[in-house]
Amino acid sequence: MKIAVDAMGGDLAPQAIVEGVIQAASELPSEARIVLIGRENIILDIFKQNNFTPVNIDIVHAEDVIEMGEHPTKALSQKPNSSIGIGFRLLKEKEVDIFCSAGNTGAMHVGALFSIKAIEGVLRPAIAGFVPQVGGGHSIMLDIGANADCKPEVLSQFGEIGSLFAQHTFQIDNPRVALMNIGEEEQKGSLTAQATYPLLKANKKINFIGNIEGKDLFNDKADVIVTDGFTGNILFKLGESLYDIMKKRGIQDDFIDQTNYESIGGSPIIGVNGNVMIAHGVSSPLAIRNMIGWAYKQVKSKAYQHIAQALN
């Protein structure tokens, strides 16, 4: 297994990225190798600073960098030799099994659609977030930012592909799928939510349990939470803020610690023909280390292959 990591993407790159890779390298099973993509001389300098000798890490040189504020489509076309561009080329050619980056989120999403493309039958690939639950474990929420506006048919499909992802990633036999709404009653919500509910209810391939509200986000009510990218992004970042507030107040709690973005480190793009994980732009070494651990789990789950088989 080869896990590709963009060394140059992120506000704290390359230092934080490479240091996170160093931490992860000693924890990975022997079958896994990390492919670090970026400016080789800089990567080697950081290895030297940390007195680190790579054993299970390969370096692929990439001279260019897509900056955080660049236009995704233009940057990808103008910088094919960027770390993101090369990462997607390696993924498309199946030289690596997953590509991870804390860089330009738009470039990562567009790069996935242009290179490995959406799975046939998927209307809109989604960025999914792992939401900690008070009883332990995580729910998967999609979308959390790729599709701010969604038609009912798209939201309904999120329920199906999210269910498959949860089933194979979390080993849940019959994942509970819920629609995020402003009330539990079937007729509640926006016109889009009202039109989505019957589509989810009629889908015999999923275990739809109805609407949930914002207060249920962490309460073990659902394994898959369906929402548009606008609402999902707000909820997800609101959840992340709990850790920062508690830390500033000097309060430590095991559950609140799980809302820290570093605890997972990355979010998968679900619905594309390959494994892609996007990390927070301000990712620390700890976040990168944890992202690589989850990347390993994602490859082992073969979730995207199961989604493709189910839709075809």
Side-chain angles (χ1 to χ4, degrees):
M1 179 193 301
K2 290 188 176 182
I3 300 170
V5 179
D6 172 13
M8 311 307 293
D11 296 336
L12 305 179
Q15 192 78 31
I17 310 301
V18 178
E19 289 181 0
V21 166
I22 291 171
Q23 292 178 20
S26 62
E27 301 173 350
L28 282 174
S30 58
E31 65 181 300
R33 294 186 67 82
I34 298 173
V35 178
L36 201 45
I37 307 168
R39 292 172 181 161
E40 185 173 15
N41 61 326
I42 295 177
I43 294 171
L44 292 174
D45 282 345
I46 298 172
F47 283 169
K48 188 175 181 181
Q49 292 168 21
N50 288 270
N51 297 314
F52 176 74
T53 301
V55 176
N56 57 346
I57 299 175
D58 302 316
I59 299 174
V60 174
H61 180 69
E63 187 60 35
D64 293 332
V65 178
I66 294 177
E67 303 295 343
M68 299 297 274
E70 289 192 70
H71 188 280
T73 307
K74 287 183 180 179
L76 283 166
S77 62
Q78 294 171 0
K79 295 182 176 180
N81 292 320
S82 64
S83 52
I84 289 179
I86 290 174
F88 277 116
R89 190 182 75 217
L90 294 174
L91 187 64
K92 180 181 179 180
E93 294 172 357
K94 299 190 181 302
E95 294 185 31
V96 298
D97 298 290
I98 187 168
F99 178 44
C100 311
S101 176
N104 187 307
T105 300
M108 287 296 292
H109 194 251
V110 171
L113 293 176
F114 281 7
S115 59
I116 55 175
K117 305 187 185 320
I119 291 170
E120 185 176 356
V122 169
L123 302 173
R124 294 275 191 92
I127 299 174
F130 296 103
V131 181
Q133 300 298 297
V134 291
H138 295 83
S139 293
I140 191 85
M141 181 163 65
L142 64 169
D143 190 6
I144 64 163
N147 306 283
D149 296 297
C150 296
K151 294 181 178 180
E153 294 78 12
V154 172
L155 290 171
S156 177
Q157 190 177 72
F158 285 171
E160 188 169 340
I161 63 177
S163 179
L164 288 163
F165 186 89
Q167 179 183 345
H168 296 286
T169 302
F170 300 143
Q171 287 77 53
I172 302 171
D173 289 335
N174 194 24
R176 297 161 299 166
V177 179
L179 177 65
M180 181 58 69
N181 209 329
I182 60 171
E184 295 183 357
E185 297 86 355
E186 183 172 346
Q187 59 270 44
K188 278 290 184 75
S190 65
L191 293 175
T192 300
Q194 291 177 36
T196 301
Y197 191 106
L199 296 179
L200 290 167
K201 186 177 180 180
N203 191 338
K204 302 302 181 184
K205 298 178 182 179
I206 63 173
N207 176 20
F208 180 56
I209 62 169
N211 291 328
I212 61 171
E213 302 177 62
K215 65 183 176 65
D216 303 315
L217 185 63
F218 303 118
N219 286 339
D220 294 299
K221 284 200 172 181
D223 303 300
V224 180
I225 301 168
V226 175
T227 188
D228 59 83
F230 183 87
T231 306
N233 188 273
I234 291 172
L235 283 170
F236 199 68
K237 290 180 178 176
L238 175 64
E240 289 180 343
S241 74
L242 297 176
Y243 174 80
D244 292 330
I245 293 169
M246 293 299 185
K247 186 176 180 181
K248 288 176 182 176
R249 290 174 174 248
I251 300 171
Q252 193 276 327
D253 178 87
D254 289 342
F255 170 74
I256 295 297
D257 287 346
Q258 295 300 307
T259 67
N260 178 13
Y261 83 92
E262 294 174 310
S263 67
I264 297 293
S267 296
I269 300 180
I270 300 180
V272 292
N273 280 301
N275 295 303
V276 180
M277 189 162 280
I278 300 173
H280 204 297
V282 294
S283 287
S284 64
L286 175 60
I288 297 301
R289 185 194 79 180
N290 289 336
M291 175 187 67
I292 292 170
W294 277 92
Y296 175 82
K297 295 176 186 177
Q298 185 170 328
V299 174
K300 293 289 286 185
S301 75
K302 299 182 179 179
Y304 87 87
Q305 291 101 318
H306 290 293
I307 292 171
Q309 290 170 4
L311 294 184
N312 288 332

